[in-house]
Amino acid sequence: MARHKTAYVCQNCGAAASKWAGQCPDCGAWNTLVESIVAATPTRAAGRSAAAVGGSAVRRLHEVDAESAPRLASGLSEMDRVLGGGLVRGAVILIGGDPGIGKSTLLLQMLAAVEGRVDTLYVTGEESLSQVALRAKRLGLPRVDLPALAETSIETVLAAVSATRPGLVVIDSIQTLYTESLDSAPGSVSQLRECAAQLVQHAKRTGTTVILVGHVTKEGAIAGPRVLEHMVDTVLYFEHDPGSRFRLIRAVKNRFGAVNELGVFAMTDAGLKEVSNPSALFLSRHEQPVPGSVITVTRQGTRPMLVEVQALVDRSMIGNPRRVALGLEGNRLNMLLAVLHRHGGVALGDQDVFANVVGGMRITEPAADLPLLMAALSSFRGRPVPTDLVVFGEVGLAGEIRPVQGGEDRLSEAAKQGFKRALVPEANKPRRGTKLDIEVIAVNRLDQALAEIQ
């Protein structure tokens, strides 16, 4: 009996090693090398390469039809926003999220919305068809006769897809699929890579839109090799704040639209419902002004969104004061406090500073610099910032207030939400002739901004 060849494969990057080691020599990850059976298929690989070479031809770019790809509305406007306008023929989409966050629920609702306009197929490898039918019935979907298949063999799945020729296929999940050409277990690096490659090849050849559901690790990243995210066209992450019914879908990669685009849903008994005004979710709307609370306008992709930045400054009881930032970058908080001391004359070296973004929102852009300092100063002095004031702007190390992208869009969103005044960088002041129902206070330096709230 022929012996199988084994290798130790990194579950993070997919690199192979001849012997086990505690650290992967390629990516540096620890305890990720797992013994796997390697099955060589030279004939199949050679045939594929020959076919690819024979079917390709060098062409000049001006000879290629570069018209925009037609979009298929998913039936969920928030999902279409994240995707860049809708589903694209031949696109492969990877969506990941924590267990039970609502990935299967969302995709079932999408299939029910597009059924009738395009043929669909729901492939489940984790649940039985009876479980899928019960979920569809519980959600009260308008169509419960969706085509479904319970299968984990990629060869069987592709045969069914070729026979039915659907325009939209959902694979739930990619970690459960396996190919008979490899002896390794489903979910291993080699199985994930090969099954994903066959699905991507089928999607590009036939124009079928494929949505892959992916598991996530403890750190929140999609399980499997990083090459899986490079193979697909779009990568979406499902996020939520524990204990909250709201769900956020964020695009971290999109070949057909903007990245960091955000879609907001609310989990209800009837499934996921779209949130038409997400700015209202992240505002506390205090009955009276409170110290340490400042409203800012952040941009998530192309969407301006109002969020509340809170800060709590208290005298430290230990020699090394604490600096805690939730939803914000901790190192940037330390830097901004140093700028506040040097250019604002406010020393917080003996104070604990806690910063938070309401609603579990995560802000990575520098537009939150000025509101963060305003919130910290407001809490330190015990003086609330006016509730009708919105603040945004980047703070430089020299104490200057730098402009941010999309200033007029942010001001328009603030005016739409009922705010009367805005403290913004001088370069973000609206151009002459621009009519905005909001008073704009433009500043160049940090000391000027601090004087406006004293």
Side-chain angles (χ1 to χ4, degrees), residues 5 7 16 44 56 71 85 104 107 129 138 202-203 254-255 303 323-324 329 340 342 347 373 391 408 410 430 432 452:
K5 182 180 178 182
R44 183 165 163 265
S56 302
R71 303 272 184 167
S104 301
L107 295 177
L129 292 181
R138 184 175 68 252
H202 177 83
N254 193 356
R255 291 172 177 164
R303 163 188 279 175
R323 303 285 189 261
V324 180
E329 188 178 354
L340 180 63
R342 179 65 178 82
L373 288 183
V391 182
E408 291 191 7
R410 299 174 195 255
R432 291 184 178 181
E452 292 292 337

Side-chain angles (χ1 to χ4, degrees), residues 411-419:
L411 292 173
S412 298
E413 180 66 19
K416 188 186 305 181
Q417 297 297 328
F419 288 86

Side-chain angles (χ1 to χ4, degrees), residues 254-276:
N254 193 356
R255 291 172 177 164
F256 305 105
V259 295
N260 289 327
E261 198 69 66
L262 192 70
V264 185
F265 295 85
M267 179 62 76
T268 65
D269 295 337
L272 289 167
K273 301 296 183 181
E274 299 174 275
V275 177
S276 58

